[in-house]
Amino acid sequence: MAGRRFDFDEHLRRTLEAFREVQVELSPIAFNDGKPLDPIALQRAVYHQVKGRLNSQMTISAIRQVAAAYAKPSATSIGLR
């Protein structure tokens, strides 16, 4: 049983590492020389470049998280109206 847990932990570790590597690779593209790409524009620009490293849902999540990291906060997201 302990061997199975190790295999699962190793698989999870590799998956998380691949997720992080995709995010690091996409970061300069998302930054876009100070004009950050929105999630859809970033997805269109890079999906085919990174697909296959993760399942499609995780690939989209990585793209959206990177885009969100560079997004300017909107007035509603910081409580201003």
Side-chain angles (χ1 to χ4, degrees):
M1 184 79 171
R4 286 185 179 179
R5 182 174 181 189
F6 176 76
D7 291 342
F8 174 76
D9 291 344
E10 182 62 21
H11 179 71
L12 178 60
R13 185 194 64 74
R14 285 193 316 255
T15 301
L16 292 173
E17 185 175 302
F19 189 86
R20 184 179 45 81
E21 287 172 359
V22 166
Q23 289 181 311
V24 168
E25 181 179 335
L26 299 182
S27 184
I29 299 166
F31 183 66
N32 193 33
D33 292 323
K35 298 174 187 162
L37 297 176
D38 66 76
I40 299 300
L42 182 60
Q43 180 180 333
R44 287 180 179 149
V46 301
Y47 183 80
H48 291 287
Q49 175 182 330
V50 297
K51 76 176 185 175
R53 297 187 210 174
L54 301 162
N55 68 37
S56 58
Q57 184 175 0
M58 289 189 75
T59 301
I60 297 299
S61 292
I63 292 169
R64 289 187 175 277
Q65 284 184 9
V66 171
Y70 290 103
K72 294 178 184 172
S74 66
T76 56
S77 71
I78 57 173
L80 302 175
R81 291 182 189 209

